Amino acid sequence: MSLFSKKTADEPGITGTVRDCLRSDRALNKLADGDIIVIDAPDITRVLAQRIIDSKAKAVLNTGAFTTGAVPNFGPQMLLDADVVLVENVELTESSKLRDGKPHRLYEGKLYLGDRRVAAGDEVTMDKISADFDEARTGMADRLEAFSGNFVEFAATEAPLYVDGLGIPEVETKLDGRKVLIVSGGEGHERTLKNLKGFIGEFDPVLIGVDAGADTLVAQGYEPDLIIGDPAGIEADTLRSGARVILPADPDGHAHGLEHIQDLGIGAMTFPALSDSATDLALVLADHHGASMIVTAGSSLDQGDVYAGADQQSLPSALLSRLKAGDKLVNGDVVADLYRVEGGGLRIMWALLAIIVALAVIIAIAGTAGDGSVSENLIDTWNSIALWFQGLFK
């Protein structure tokens, strides 16, 4: 029986197959003519908008805002120019679930499955999108102007640190010419560290745990060489793991958490700087001491962070520390991709099958190659192989 009765099909609105892109981006690969797309894509980009336009979808329901105000983006205007209906700030009803691949009806910002409403949001007009775009453009210009002033002041004040390394602590751990892995406590750092197992096993990098990232290193069976951060947010067992502990300090030398370290009976060094980001200090330290490659997990900085300017105070330090590291700096997820084997299970199965076939061929040849029985011939062959190997080491 069809989900839509004749009466429902005659009701106003748009009817189309729903593609639920909230759970997986793979649904984007299934887009077809007339689809209704449900997606979480704040500040939707031109690239994604063009992909949707090329698929000839009828509507896009966004759980975020098409333009948040962080950046002026052309994606929403492109979609409206292509007559794609846009609904933003969509909320799914608690009692209902989207039926991916099933026909739904969209009317006045509300999505229906049969007679049941499953989602609702605000339908977007060109006037609103244009106003949001102009507001975002003005706001971005103001933020970039503020950032440029903050950056110049920070770079000038901290020049002794970033140019001459003044205040960077000396450490016993040898970093010169070695690869360094800095694990911070940012989103997804546990997964990234797990995926870097092959890299760690192959290159034995210096492990620097930053804040909660130090706990993650220990939890996954590693021993950090250095720990940088406020000890109040790090487990006592981690601090006692044998790593050299470095505390970020104010320019006057005062370090938060020093009393806590002393109570634990652990020695620590201080790192005075204007920056309050332990990750930025770890980057500067690794570069100053000659690391050949700096891999990061749980920390990132991209164009969107600069344009959005959400944290004007920490942005100059984040940008300058990464400029300091330069082309040594590599995102951990990129490195992990080099060790990812697609279709690993299938490849292992074929490898095992090849080994079994090879053994069967050897047994067949060896078992019939002599004058004795199959078992006697196999024993003779094995003894010959063993004597041959022994001869290699004489």
Side-chain angles (χ1 to χ4, degrees):
M1 180 179 177
S2 172
L3 287 171
F4 289 92
S5 63
K6 186 174 184 302
K7 176 183 176 182
T8 304
D10 292 338
E11 289 179 349
I14 298 171
T15 300
T17 300
V18 156
R19 296 300 176 189
D20 183 2
C21 301
L22 296 175
R23 296 179 178 83
S24 173
D25 289 340
R26 293 179 181 178
L28 290 171
N29 299 326
K30 302 177 181 178
L31 297 183
D33 189 355
D35 283 350
I36 297 174
I37 304 169
V38 182
I39 197 169
D40 179 19
D43 294 319
I44 194 167
T45 64
R46 288 176 61 98
V47 174
L48 180 54
Q50 189 60 57
R51 186 174 180 181
I52 293 171
I53 292 169
D54 292 343
S55 74
K56 298 182 180 179
K58 288 182 179 179
V60 178
L61 279 68
N62 194 345
T63 56
F66 284 101
T67 298
T68 64
V71 291
N73 55 320
F74 289 96
Q77 297 180 44
M78 293 170 58
L79 291 167
L80 288 176
D81 285 340
D83 295 326
V84 179
V85 176
L86 303 183
V87 181
E88 64 180 3
N89 302 320
V90 171
E91 294 183 0
L92 305 180
T93 58
E94 294 181 2
S95 59
S96 301
K97 291 183 179 180
L98 294 174
R99 298 281 297 277
D100 184 64
K102 300 296 182 181
H104 290 60
R105 182 172 63 89
L106 176 65
Y107 180 60
E108 294 184 342
K110 300 177 181 62
L111 185 67
Y112 297 89
L113 175 63
D115 295 329
R116 187 172 69 249
R117 191 178 76 183
V118 295
D122 305 316
E123 191 164 339
V124 177
T125 64
M126 183 61 81
D127 287 342
K128 182 181 185 305
I129 287 297
S130 298
D132 289 345
F133 181 88
D134 292 339
E135 183 178 347
R137 181 166 52 186
T138 301
M140 185 185 69
D142 292 341
R143 289 191 298 273
L144 288 177
E145 183 177 354
F147 165 69
S148 63
N150 292 337
F151 182 80
V152 169
E153 181 180 357
F154 180 87
T157 303
E158 287 288 75
L161 168 64
Y162 284 89
V163 176
D164 296 321
L166 187 65
I168 298 176
E170 295 294 329
V171 293
E172 301 88 348
T173 304
K174 175 179 170 56
L175 280 74
D176 187 32
R178 294 184 62 187
K179 294 174 175 57
V180 173
L181 172 59
I182 299 175
V183 181
S184 305
E187 182 179 356
H189 74 281
E190 299 98 335
R191 181 193 68 253
T192 301
L193 179 59
K194 188 177 298 183
N195 292 337
L196 285 169
K197 182 177 181 180
F199 167 75
I200 296 172
E202 181 175 355
F203 292 103
D204 187 28
V206 176
L207 300 178
I208 301 180
V210 176
D211 296 324
D215 292 328
T216 302
L217 278 168
V218 173
Q220 294 195 20
Y222 299 108
E223 295 182 1
D225 298 291
L226 302 171
I227 294 175
I228 303 178
D230 185 346
I234 304 172
E235 296 290 339
D237 289 342
T238 299
L239 295 170
R240 294 193 183 100
S241 65
R244 166 60 73 181
V245 178
I246 300 175
L247 307 182
D250 297 333
D252 61 6
H254 174 71
H256 299 282
L258 183 58
E259 298 82 2
H260 180 60
I261 282 290
Q262 292 173 340
D263 291 342
L264 293 174
I266 300 171
M269 308 173 73
T270 59
F271 191 161
L274 281 176
S275 174
D276 59 358
S277 168
T279 296
D280 298 346
L281 299 183
L283 289 169
V284 173
L285 183 143
D287 176 77
H288 175 75
H289 288 298
S292 62
M293 178 179 181
I294 305 173
V295 180
T296 60
S299 66
S300 63
L301 180 72
D302 57 26
Q303 172 182 286
D305 297 318
V306 176
Y307 280 135
D311 193 347
Q312 288 286 350
Q313 296 303 314
S314 64
L315 195 54
S317 170
L319 183 58
L320 195 58
S321 62
R322 284 158 177 80
L323 290 174
K324 174 70 172 171
D327 56 8
K328 299 178 183 179
L329 186 61
V330 185
N331 185 287
D333 290 325
V334 175
V335 175
D337 282 341
L338 299 176
Y339 291 84
R340 182 174 292 116
V341 178
E342 298 294 339
L346 184 60
R347 294 188 180 189
I348 292 174
M349 183 185 72
W350 279 111
L352 291 174
L353 181 59
I355 293 172
I356 292 172
V357 171
L359 289 173
V361 171
I362 292 172
I363 291 172
I365 294 174
T368 59
D371 297 329
S373 64
V374 172
S375 60
E376 290 173 343
N377 292 335
L378 288 174
I379 292 173
D380 290 341
T381 302
W382 174 256
N383 290 335
S384 297
I385 294 173
L387 290 171
W388 180 76
F389 271 108
Q390 290 176 6
L392 293 177
F393 298 97
K394 288 183 179 179

